[in-house]
């Protein structure tokens, strides 16, 4: 009798566990179904898997995506300038590279009317980046082509094109030095530009006072981590001790940089114990904040704060503008940079998914709504996670789940200008259109 009761109890428990596992697999929320076409690219369609960026400069919107093109696409490409012809080394006597199959970046521009005109195209498998001055009056297109180095011992910069009319026309700008290895490049004014660079001599703050024509460098390690050498030596000595649990650990320094105004920038650096043992987590040992004040005709002035709370990390390819609000995520938490207080404010956390804690994989922030893409563990995981989208209209006090169809997710380019709807690219009648999915 007891054995039967035990067996029955075990079966009930197993069924309950299985039922809960199946419950966790049930998607939360309703799928996005209602949409309207609000824009159309008046030119060649983009590839369905294209990397797409949508940037706004006042009323002007610039959309850059990619397409694998061949000779049959030449007529469509020639409706707008072939920007390769502006770069050095282009030989009009040779077959144009776009007459063979290759990846091209298509640049479209719109003024809020819904129609995006093809403004130009340029080759590059790795894509191109667009950097603008604070008011968007001057735009720089950093190509995927290397410029010719001035000397054999100097690494070449990327070829850069310049537009002073919001992308309608472009000119070659051989005197402008932008692109990798510079990171987080931002124009504080028309002439003052800052960036980070991971150099062989250490992390450097790069400053240009002539619109990215020439740069000066300040070693941030000396300013932020003057004790780095002694700390690193003690770290290695600890790892070398017999029986040390940290024998294979390594030390890493990471950095972030954000613009504040035309004369100030703010950043953080944190040193982390990197464990090569999968059973141990990486450990942030200390975080420091550095404030930079830029001075005409003098080196920048630094103010360092040690032992500050841990901070969210920037995406490696993040681009910021001087006057935009800055949001970041870490784990399940959303932060906003308080520029006046020089600190990060915790705003919200991602909700649980069917009773299980979630973490944020991606996020989009608008004036009226936020959208987050989350993942969560579940009992019947099989090395997969539950993916759920949520949106909020009250800065994370309450969240509403929804399902995003795969084709909408594949074409997703972010929130609309008001933040009330998601924008996604789709193909219709051989053209790329922009669909808006209202969040309600």
């Amino acid at each position: 009798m007891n054995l039967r009761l035990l067996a029955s109890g075990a079966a009930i428990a197993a069924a309950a566990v299985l039922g809960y596992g199946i419950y966790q697999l049930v998607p939360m929320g309703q799928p996005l179904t209602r949409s309207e076409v609000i824009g159309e690219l008046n030119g060649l369609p983009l590839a369905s898997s294209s990397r797409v960026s949508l940037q706004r400069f006042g009323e002007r919107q610039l959309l850059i995506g990619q397409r694998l093109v061949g000779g049959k696409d030449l007529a469509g490409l020639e409706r707008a300038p072939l920007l390769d012809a502006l770069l050095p080394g282009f030989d009009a006597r040779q077959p144009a590279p776009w007459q063979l199959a290759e990846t091209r970046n298509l640049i479209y521009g719109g003024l809020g009317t819904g129609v995006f005109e093809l403004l130009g195209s340029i080759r590059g498998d790795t894509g191109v980046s667009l950097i603008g001055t604070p008011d968007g009056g001057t735009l720089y297109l950093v190509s995927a082509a290397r410029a010719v180095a001035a000397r054999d011992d100097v690494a070449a910069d990327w070829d850069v094109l310049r537009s002073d009319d919001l992308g309608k026309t472009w000119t070659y700008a051989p005197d402008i030095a932008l692109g990798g290895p510079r990171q987080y490049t931002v124009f504080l004014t028309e002439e003052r530009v800052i960036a980070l660079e991971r150099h062989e001599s250490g992390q450097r703050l790069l400053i240009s006072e002539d619109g990215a024509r020439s740069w000066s460098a300040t070693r941030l390690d000396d300013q932020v981590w003057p004790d780095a050498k002694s700390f690193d030596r003690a770290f290695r000595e600890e790892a070398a001790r017999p029986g040390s649990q940290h024998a294979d650990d390594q030390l890493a320094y990471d950095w972030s940089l954000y613009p504040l105004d035309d004369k100030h920038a703010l950043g953080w650096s944190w040193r982390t114990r990197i464990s090569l043992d999968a059973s141990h987590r990486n450990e942030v040992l200390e975080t420091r904040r550095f404030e930079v004040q830029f001075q005409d005709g003098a080196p920048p002035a630094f103010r360092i704060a040690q032992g500050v709370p841990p901070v969210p990390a920037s995406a490696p390819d993040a681009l910021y503008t001087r006057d935009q609000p800055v949001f970041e995520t870490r784990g399940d938490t959303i932060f906003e940079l308080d520029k006046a207080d020089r600190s990060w404010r915790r705003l919200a956390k991602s909700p649980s998914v069917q009773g299980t804690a979630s973490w944020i994989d991606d996020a989009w922030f608008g004036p009226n709504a936020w959208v987050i893409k989350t993942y969560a563990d579940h009992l019947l995981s099989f090395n997969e996670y539950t993916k759920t989208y949520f949106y909020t209209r009250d800065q994370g006090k309450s969240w509403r789940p929804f399902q995003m169809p795969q084709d909408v997710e594949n074409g997703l380019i972010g929130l609309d200008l008001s933040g009330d709807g998601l924008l996604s690219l789709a193909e219709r009648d051989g053209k790329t259109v922009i669909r808006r999915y209202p969040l309600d």
Side-chain angles (χ1 to χ4, degrees):
M1 180 67 177
N2 290 338
L3 291 176
R4 290 175 182 168
L5 287 175
L6 288 174
S8 298
I12 292 173
V17 170
L18 179 61
Y20 182 65
I22 295 175
Y23 161 76
Q24 288 185 312
L25 296 176
V26 177
M28 295 178 64
Q30 299 299 314
L32 292 176
T33 55
R34 196 160 55 89
S35 69
E36 58 178 336
V37 174
I38 64 167
E40 180 177 283
L41 307 191
N42 190 12
L44 292 173
L46 302 178
S48 59
S49 58
S50 170
R51 294 189 298 268
V52 176
S53 68
L54 176 63
Q55 293 174 252
R56 299 180 175 96
F57 302 92
E59 294 184 355
R60 186 61 153 177
Q61 303 176 65
L62 291 178
L63 188 149
I64 302 177
Q66 293 181 313
R67 174 183 173 86
L68 183 66
V69 301
K72 61 182 177 60
D73 299 310
L74 185 58
L77 287 174
E78 289 182 334
R79 294 174 54 184
L82 303 171
L83 300 180
D84 308 76
L86 300 175
L87 303 180
F90 175 78
D91 189 348
R93 295 169 299 177
Q94 299 296 323
W98 49 82
Q99 291 182 354
L100 306 173
E102 71 156 9
T103 300
R104 292 191 66 76
N105 301 276
L106 307 182
I107 305 164
Y108 284 91
L111 288 171
T113 62
V115 177
F116 282 75
E117 297 289 345
L118 182 63
L119 302 178
S121 69
I122 189 169
R123 64 181 178 270
D125 291 340
T126 58
V128 296
S129 58
L130 190 66
I131 302 173
T133 54
D135 62 355
T138 301
L139 302 178
Y140 295 99
L141 186 72
V142 184
S143 77
R146 284 284 192 183
V148 178
R151 303 195 315 267
D152 291 340
D153 60 337
V154 177
D157 272 298
W158 302 99
D159 277 324
V160 176
L161 301 176
R162 172 176 177 152
S163 175
D164 294 305
D165 54 11
L166 295 174
K168 293 179 182 177
T169 60
W170 297 89
T171 57
Y172 180 51
D175 56 335
I176 301 298
L178 291 171
R182 300 171 193 86
Q183 204 175 13
Y184 311 133
T185 303
V186 58
F187 280 77
L188 300 184
T189 68
E190 294 285 333
E191 299 297 324
R192 177 171 290 149
V193 198
I194 61 173
L196 288 183
E197 180 191 36
R198 194 179 293 274
H199 191 260
E200 60 183 11
S201 64
Q203 192 73 27
R204 306 199 304 180
L205 173 66
L206 302 181
I207 307 166
S208 174
E209 297 288 357
D210 58 5
R213 291 170 178 81
S214 61
W215 295 82
S216 61
T218 299
R219 270 180 48 88
L220 282 175
D221 304 76
D222 297 338
Q223 300 289 337
V224 182
W225 301 102
D227 59 336
K229 289 184 178 179
S230 60
F231 187 93
D232 294 357
R233 183 169 57 253
F235 184 90
R236 291 193 300 270
E237 290 173 353
E238 177 193 2
R241 290 174 184 170
S244 172
Q245 296 182 353
H246 306 294
D248 296 323
D249 289 359
Q250 299 176 3
L251 198 61
Y253 292 81
D254 292 290
W255 301 81
S256 62
L257 181 68
Y258 303 93
L260 293 179
D261 54 40
D262 60 340
K263 294 183 179 180
H264 298 87
L266 180 67
W268 280 264
S269 180
W270 53 99
R271 53 184 169 199
T272 305
R273 181 193 298 276
I274 306 296
S275 177
L276 302 183
D277 186 342
S279 63
H280 295 121
R281 290 186 176 183
N282 297 337
E283 178 187 4
V284 176
L285 303 175
E286 185 184 358
T287 302
R288 296 183 182 181
R289 182 182 68 236
F290 60 96
E291 301 175 37
V292 190
Q293 180 178 354
F294 303 99
Q295 309 170 97
D296 295 333
F302 286 85
R303 179 183 297 174
I304 311 300
Q306 301 184 12
V308 301
V311 297
S314 304
D317 57 351
L319 288 175
Y320 304 99
T321 58
R322 190 188 67 189
D323 301 319
Q324 76 175 114
V326 179
F327 297 91
E328 300 284 9
T329 66
R330 187 185 69 204
D332 63 353
T333 306
I334 297 171
F335 299 84
E336 182 179 15
L337 178 60
D338 187 329
K339 295 185 178 182
D341 193 47
R342 270 51 169 178
S343 64
W344 289 98
R345 292 191 296 122
R346 295 172 180 260
L347 296 182
K349 287 195 172 185
S350 60
S352 62
V353 176
Q354 308 291 40
T356 303
S358 67
W359 64 91
I360 301 170
D361 178 71
D362 209 344
W364 300 264
F365 300 96
N368 295 324
W370 301 345
V371 173
I372 58 174
K373 173 185 176 182
T374 70
Y375 284 100
D377 275 316
H378 50 85
L379 288 177
L380 308 177
S381 64
F382 305 108
N383 294 322
E384 293 186 0
Y385 301 109
T386 300
K387 178 174 65 176
T388 310
Y389 283 88
F390 293 90
Y391 76 90
T392 176
R393 292 189 178 277
D394 53 14
Q395 296 195 336
K397 295 181 178 65
S398 61
W399 294 94
R400 293 186 61 179
F402 65 93
Q403 300 171 40
M404 186 178 297
Q406 191 61 52
D407 61 328
V408 179
E409 184 177 56
N410 291 343
L412 186 64
I413 56 176
L415 289 165
D416 63 6
L417 187 59
S418 69
D420 289 316
L422 285 168
L423 302 180
S424 179
L425 299 179
E427 187 168 334
R428 186 183 70 174
D429 300 329
K431 290 191 174 183
T432 295
V433 297
I434 302 175
R435 287 190 172 275
R436 179 182 180 273
Y437 293 81
L439 296 170
D440 53 21

